[in-house]
Amino acid sequence: MFAALAIPTEDPRSRTWRLRVFGATWLCYAGYYLCRRPWSISKRSVQEELQLDGSTLGDVFALYLFAYAVSQFLAGAAGKRFGPRAVLLWGMAASILCNVGFGFAGSAGALFLLMGLNGMAQATGWSANVGTMAAWFRRDERGAVMGLWTTNFQVGAILSGMLASFALKAWGWQWAFFTGALSLAGVWGVVYAFQRNSPADVGLPPPDDEGSPAAGEGGGLGWTREVIINIALVSVFYFCVKLIRYVLASWSAYFLQGVYHLEGDVSGYLSTMIDLCGMPGVVLTGWLSDRYFGGRRAGVSLLMTLVLLACCVVLYALGSASMWAFIVGTAVAGFALYGPDALMSGAGAMDVGSRRGATLAAGIISSFGSVGPIVQELVVGRMLPKDKTNLTPATLNPVFLLLIASALGAVAALTVAVVRNRRGCRPL
């Protein structure tokens, strides 16, 4: 797997810089979670202290997700105009300041304002990092490389969840935000030192597939009708699968604390099992796409998404029966979910958008995909009983039905993509 990071050249500078950029961008996107995850971990504690109802909790994070989705378009365009480096450094700095502000928030109004601003700042992360990786790696190695690289959001979610859970227990929910902000400030320094937009920035030649159709040379961005259809299919898929991911990431700790009456820190730690199990799923999916599917992302992603659908059905049948059935079921869902999620929005965005247009394509796909989390936050928040203390295992059943419906939508989008591939359309 790591051999893919070594470009086939005798120039040691190319190898060194590829490793630097890989490490810096990996750490960068993992670091974004330090200022994203604290809300999910401390949600129940914030609700109790500020006396918020379930719908308000959902609306606060829905605003974040709305700002995140809309700003993905802007971030993709900004990355193309100003370069990913500038977008990342400004975005991380803004998110750090927002999380410091969360620690001093004492009302729902303050939470709404800061969540909106933080959503805009967090939107800079994905497209700018994917655009950077597209400039440094060839198409025929992106499956394996991006499979490894996209472990960043599982590791970031795990570490940020554990850090926020520890701070919540030790010092209160305010410090869940403060510690995340301080940690991301350290990541900012690493990105400043080691991230570069392209090999040309350090006097190196580009990867050797610039002449291929996927490289996007020629007029405009190289976006034909086939490319636009593929971007639309990936966007639909990403909407559905990201809805599922955010139901699990945003509400698991809340349900473990509210339904099964675990302590806040314990529920936070257990909720990271979704991300922990997702890591091998991401690496496996990326490797399979290059090794057995000829670099075609849709086929292997469809296989894993069918496993996800089966898992959602099992969760509906058994998930509300016991706490451990819920934990194990959501963990297995994480394993099946994160591979297709990362592969289609990362390597898939690179492939359909071309190297020149990868940042913009990633921004479009991620923006449409980010509507899914908005929908789930609004819907799940309104599925909760008005009395926030009256949570029972039966509360989970409508949530599991929502997961099944979304998994079906993801399977449908990928099935169309696979059929198109077999008919000779542009591979995806």
Short mmCIF file of all heavy atoms in Angstrom, two decimals, residues 239-273:
data_model
loop_
_atom_site.label_atom_id
_atom_site.label_comp_id
_atom_site.label_asym_id
_atom_site.label_seq_id
_atom_site.Cartn_x
_atom_site.Cartn_y
_atom_site.Cartn_z
N PHE A 239 -25.19 11.94 -1.22
CA PHE A 239 -26.29 12.45 -0.40
C PHE A 239 -26.80 11.35 0.53
O PHE A 239 -26.97 11.56 1.73
CB PHE A 239 -27.42 12.96 -1.30
CG PHE A 239 -28.71 13.23 -0.57
CD1 PHE A 239 -28.96 14.47 -0.03
CD2 PHE A 239 -29.67 12.23 -0.42
CE1 PHE A 239 -30.15 14.72 0.66
CE2 PHE A 239 -30.85 12.47 0.26
CZ PHE A 239 -31.09 13.72 0.80
N CYS A 240 -27.05 10.18 -0.05
CA CYS A 240 -27.65 9.09 0.73
C CYS A 240 -26.68 8.53 1.76
O CYS A 240 -27.03 8.32 2.93
CB CYS A 240 -28.11 7.98 -0.20
SG CYS A 240 -29.44 8.45 -1.34
N VAL A 241 -25.46 8.28 1.33
CA VAL A 241 -24.52 7.63 2.23
C VAL A 241 -24.05 8.58 3.33
O VAL A 241 -23.79 8.18 4.46
CB VAL A 241 -23.33 7.03 1.43
CG1 VAL A 241 -22.28 8.08 1.10
CG2 VAL A 241 -22.71 5.86 2.17
N LYS A 242 -23.97 9.87 3.00
CA LYS A 242 -23.55 10.83 4.03
C LYS A 242 -24.67 11.07 5.04
O LYS A 242 -24.41 11.37 6.21
CB LYS A 242 -23.10 12.14 3.39
CG LYS A 242 -22.16 12.94 4.27
CD LYS A 242 -21.48 14.05 3.51
CE LYS A 242 -20.50 14.79 4.43
NZ LYS A 242 -19.85 15.91 3.73
N LEU A 243 -25.92 10.95 4.59
CA LEU A 243 -27.03 11.01 5.54
C LEU A 243 -26.88 9.91 6.58
O LEU A 243 -27.01 10.14 7.79
CB LEU A 243 -28.35 10.87 4.79
CG LEU A 243 -29.64 11.02 5.61
CD1 LEU A 243 -30.76 11.58 4.74
CD2 LEU A 243 -30.09 9.70 6.24
N ILE A 244 -26.58 8.69 6.12
CA ILE A 244 -26.40 7.57 7.06
C ILE A 244 -25.23 7.84 7.99
O ILE A 244 -25.31 7.62 9.21
CB ILE A 244 -26.19 6.27 6.29
CG1 ILE A 244 -27.41 5.94 5.43
CG2 ILE A 244 -25.89 5.11 7.25
CD1 ILE A 244 -27.21 4.77 4.49
N ARG A 245 -24.11 8.29 7.42
CA ARG A 245 -22.92 8.50 8.24
C ARG A 245 -23.17 9.52 9.33
O ARG A 245 -22.72 9.35 10.47
CB ARG A 245 -21.74 8.96 7.35
CG ARG A 245 -20.50 9.32 8.15
CD ARG A 245 -19.25 9.18 7.31
NE ARG A 245 -19.10 10.17 6.28
CZ ARG A 245 -18.44 11.33 6.44
NH1 ARG A 245 -17.92 11.65 7.60
NH2 ARG A 245 -18.32 12.16 5.43
N TYR A 246 -23.91 10.57 9.01
CA TYR A 246 -24.12 11.61 10.01
C TYR A 246 -25.19 11.23 11.04
O TYR A 246 -25.16 11.72 12.16
CB TYR A 246 -24.45 12.94 9.34
CG TYR A 246 -23.19 13.76 9.09
CD1 TYR A 246 -22.34 13.43 8.04
CD2 TYR A 246 -22.85 14.80 9.91
CE1 TYR A 246 -21.18 14.15 7.82
CE2 TYR A 246 -21.69 15.54 9.70
CZ TYR A 246 -20.86 15.20 8.65
OH TYR A 246 -19.70 15.91 8.45
N VAL A 247 -26.12 10.37 10.66
CA VAL A 247 -27.02 9.84 11.69
C VAL A 247 -26.20 9.10 12.74
O VAL A 247 -26.37 9.29 13.95
CB VAL A 247 -28.08 8.91 11.07
CG1 VAL A 247 -28.82 8.16 12.18
CG2 VAL A 247 -29.08 9.69 10.23
N LEU A 248 -25.28 8.25 12.28
CA LEU A 248 -24.47 7.47 13.20
C LEU A 248 -23.50 8.35 13.99
O LEU A 248 -23.34 8.19 15.21
CB LEU A 248 -23.68 6.41 12.43
CG LEU A 248 -24.52 5.39 11.64
CD1 LEU A 248 -23.61 4.40 10.92
CD2 LEU A 248 -25.50 4.65 12.54
N ALA A 249 -22.86 9.30 13.30
CA ALA A 249 -21.85 10.13 13.97
C ALA A 249 -22.46 11.16 14.90
O ALA A 249 -21.94 11.44 15.98
CB ALA A 249 -20.98 10.82 12.91
N SER A 250 -23.59 11.74 14.49
CA SER A 250 -24.17 12.85 15.24
C SER A 250 -25.04 12.40 16.41
O SER A 250 -25.14 13.11 17.41
CB SER A 250 -24.99 13.73 14.30
OG SER A 250 -25.56 14.83 14.99
N TRP A 251 -25.67 11.22 16.29
CA TRP A 251 -26.67 10.84 17.29
C TRP A 251 -26.33 9.62 18.12
O TRP A 251 -27.02 9.34 19.11
CB TRP A 251 -28.01 10.61 16.60
CG TRP A 251 -28.60 11.84 16.00
CD1 TRP A 251 -28.54 12.23 14.69
CD2 TRP A 251 -29.32 12.87 16.68
NE1 TRP A 251 -29.18 13.43 14.50
CE2 TRP A 251 -29.68 13.85 15.72
CE3 TRP A 251 -29.72 13.06 18.00
CZ2 TRP A 251 -30.39 15.00 16.04
CZ3 TRP A 251 -30.44 14.21 18.32
CH2 TRP A 251 -30.76 15.16 17.35
N SER A 252 -25.29 8.86 17.76
CA SER A 252 -25.01 7.64 18.51
C SER A 252 -24.71 7.92 19.98
O SER A 252 -25.24 7.26 20.87
CB SER A 252 -23.84 6.88 17.87
OG SER A 252 -24.22 6.31 16.65
N ALA A 253 -23.82 8.88 20.24
CA ALA A 253 -23.50 9.20 21.64
C ALA A 253 -24.74 9.71 22.38
O ALA A 253 -24.96 9.38 23.55
CB ALA A 253 -22.39 10.25 21.69
N TYR A 254 -25.56 10.48 21.68
CA TYR A 254 -26.79 11.00 22.28
C TYR A 254 -27.73 9.86 22.66
O TYR A 254 -28.30 9.84 23.77
CB TYR A 254 -27.47 11.94 21.29
CG TYR A 254 -28.78 12.53 21.78
CD1 TYR A 254 -28.80 13.68 22.54
CD2 TYR A 254 -30.00 11.92 21.47
CE1 TYR A 254 -30.00 14.23 22.98
CE2 TYR A 254 -31.20 12.44 21.91
CZ TYR A 254 -31.19 13.61 22.66
OH TYR A 254 -32.38 14.13 23.10
N PHE A 255 -27.91 8.90 21.76
CA PHE A 255 -28.80 7.77 22.06
C PHE A 255 -28.24 6.88 23.16
O PHE A 255 -28.98 6.38 24.01
CB PHE A 255 -29.07 6.96 20.80
CG PHE A 255 -29.97 7.64 19.81
CD1 PHE A 255 -29.68 7.63 18.45
CD2 PHE A 255 -31.11 8.30 20.22
CE1 PHE A 255 -30.51 8.25 17.53
CE2 PHE A 255 -31.95 8.93 19.32
CZ PHE A 255 -31.65 8.91 17.98
N LEU A 256 -26.93 6.65 23.15
CA LEU A 256 -26.33 5.82 24.20
C LEU A 256 -26.50 6.47 25.57
O LEU A 256 -26.70 5.78 26.58
CB LEU A 256 -24.85 5.59 23.90
CG LEU A 256 -24.55 4.63 22.75
CD1 LEU A 256 -23.07 4.68 22.38
CD2 LEU A 256 -24.96 3.20 23.12
N GLN A 257 -26.44 7.79 25.59
CA GLN A 257 -26.61 8.49 26.86
C GLN A 257 -28.08 8.62 27.25
O GLN A 257 -28.45 8.42 28.41
CB GLN A 257 -25.98 9.89 26.77
CG GLN A 257 -25.83 10.60 28.11
CD GLN A 257 -25.07 11.91 27.97
OE1 GLN A 257 -24.59 12.25 26.89
NE2 GLN A 257 -24.94 12.65 29.06
N GLY A 258 -28.94 8.93 26.26
CA GLY A 258 -30.34 9.18 26.57
C GLY A 258 -31.20 7.95 26.66
O GLY A 258 -32.10 7.86 27.50
N VAL A 259 -30.95 6.94 25.78
CA VAL A 259 -31.76 5.73 25.76
C VAL A 259 -31.23 4.69 26.74
O VAL A 259 -32.01 4.06 27.48
CB VAL A 259 -31.83 5.14 24.33
CG1 VAL A 259 -32.58 3.82 24.34
CG2 VAL A 259 -32.50 6.13 23.38
N TYR A 260 -29.92 4.52 26.76
CA TYR A 260 -29.33 3.47 27.59
C TYR A 260 -28.67 4.00 28.86
O TYR A 260 -28.07 3.24 29.61
CB TYR A 260 -28.32 2.67 26.76
CG TYR A 260 -28.96 1.97 25.60
CD1 TYR A 260 -28.76 2.40 24.30
CD2 TYR A 260 -29.81 0.88 25.80
CE1 TYR A 260 -29.36 1.76 23.22
CE2 TYR A 260 -30.42 0.24 24.73
CZ TYR A 260 -30.20 0.69 23.44
OH TYR A 260 -30.80 0.06 22.39
N HIS A 261 -28.75 5.32 29.07
CA HIS A 261 -28.37 5.95 30.34
C HIS A 261 -26.91 5.75 30.71
O HIS A 261 -26.57 5.59 31.90
CB HIS A 261 -29.28 5.45 31.47
CG HIS A 261 -30.74 5.50 31.14
ND1 HIS A 261 -31.40 6.69 30.93
CD2 HIS A 261 -31.66 4.52 30.94
CE1 HIS A 261 -32.67 6.45 30.63
NE2 HIS A 261 -32.85 5.14 30.63
N LEU A 262 -26.03 5.80 29.71
CA LEU A 262 -24.61 5.77 29.98
C LEU A 262 -24.11 7.16 30.33
O LEU A 262 -24.75 8.16 30.00
CB LEU A 262 -23.85 5.24 28.75
CG LEU A 262 -24.18 3.82 28.30
CD1 LEU A 262 -23.33 3.47 27.08
CD2 LEU A 262 -23.94 2.82 29.41
N GLU A 263 -22.95 7.23 30.98
CA GLU A 263 -22.32 8.52 31.27
C GLU A 263 -21.89 9.17 29.96
O GLU A 263 -21.61 8.49 28.96
CB GLU A 263 -21.13 8.34 32.19
CG GLU A 263 -21.49 7.87 33.59
CD GLU A 263 -22.28 8.93 34.36
OE1 GLU A 263 -22.02 10.13 34.15
OE2 GLU A 263 -23.18 8.55 35.14
N GLY A 264 -21.77 10.51 29.97
CA GLY A 264 -21.44 11.23 28.75
C GLY A 264 -20.12 10.81 28.14
O GLY A 264 -20.00 10.64 26.92
N ASP A 265 -19.07 10.62 29.00
CA ASP A 265 -17.78 10.24 28.44
C ASP A 265 -17.80 8.81 27.90
O ASP A 265 -17.20 8.52 26.86
CB ASP A 265 -16.68 10.41 29.48
CG ASP A 265 -16.91 9.58 30.73
OD1 ASP A 265 -18.08 9.38 31.10
OD2 ASP A 265 -15.92 9.13 31.34
N VAL A 266 -18.49 7.90 28.58
CA VAL A 266 -18.57 6.51 28.13
C VAL A 266 -19.30 6.43 26.79
O VAL A 266 -18.86 5.73 25.87
CB VAL A 266 -19.27 5.63 29.18
CG1 VAL A 266 -19.43 4.21 28.66
CG2 VAL A 266 -18.48 5.62 30.48
N SER A 267 -20.41 7.13 26.67
CA SER A 267 -21.15 7.12 25.40
C SER A 267 -20.31 7.72 24.28
O SER A 267 -20.37 7.26 23.13
CB SER A 267 -22.47 7.87 25.55
OG SER A 267 -22.25 9.23 25.85
N GLY A 268 -19.51 8.73 24.61
CA GLY A 268 -18.64 9.33 23.60
C GLY A 268 -17.58 8.35 23.12
O GLY A 268 -17.33 8.23 21.92
N TYR A 269 -16.95 7.65 24.06
CA TYR A 269 -15.94 6.66 23.68
C TYR A 269 -16.55 5.55 22.82
O TYR A 269 -15.98 5.15 21.79
CB TYR A 269 -15.30 6.05 24.93
CG TYR A 269 -14.45 7.00 25.73
CD1 TYR A 269 -14.55 7.05 27.12
CD2 TYR A 269 -13.53 7.85 25.11
CE1 TYR A 269 -13.77 7.93 27.87
CE2 TYR A 269 -12.75 8.73 25.85
CZ TYR A 269 -12.87 8.77 27.23
OH TYR A 269 -12.10 9.63 27.96
N LEU A 270 -17.71 5.03 23.23
CA LEU A 270 -18.32 3.94 22.48
C LEU A 270 -18.77 4.37 21.09
O LEU A 270 -18.77 3.57 20.15
CB LEU A 270 -19.51 3.38 23.27
CG LEU A 270 -19.16 2.55 24.51
CD1 LEU A 270 -20.42 2.19 25.28
CD2 LEU A 270 -18.40 1.28 24.12
N SER A 271 -19.15 5.64 20.95
CA SER A 271 -19.60 6.10 19.65
C SER A 271 -18.48 6.13 18.62
O SER A 271 -18.72 6.13 17.42
CB SER A 271 -20.23 7.50 19.76
OG SER A 271 -19.25 8.48 20.04
N THR A 272 -17.22 6.15 19.08
CA THR A 272 -16.09 6.15 18.14
C THR A 272 -15.87 4.78 17.50
O THR A 272 -15.06 4.66 16.57
CB THR A 272 -14.79 6.58 18.84
OG1 THR A 272 -14.45 5.63 19.86
CG2 THR A 272 -14.94 7.96 19.46
N MET A 273 -16.57 3.75 17.96
CA MET A 273 -16.43 2.42 17.35
C MET A 273 -16.84 2.45 15.88
O MET A 273 -16.32 1.68 15.06
CB MET A 273 -17.29 1.41 18.11
CG MET A 273 -16.75 1.03 19.49
SD MET A 273 -15.16 0.18 19.38
CE MET A 273 -15.62 -1.30 18.49
#
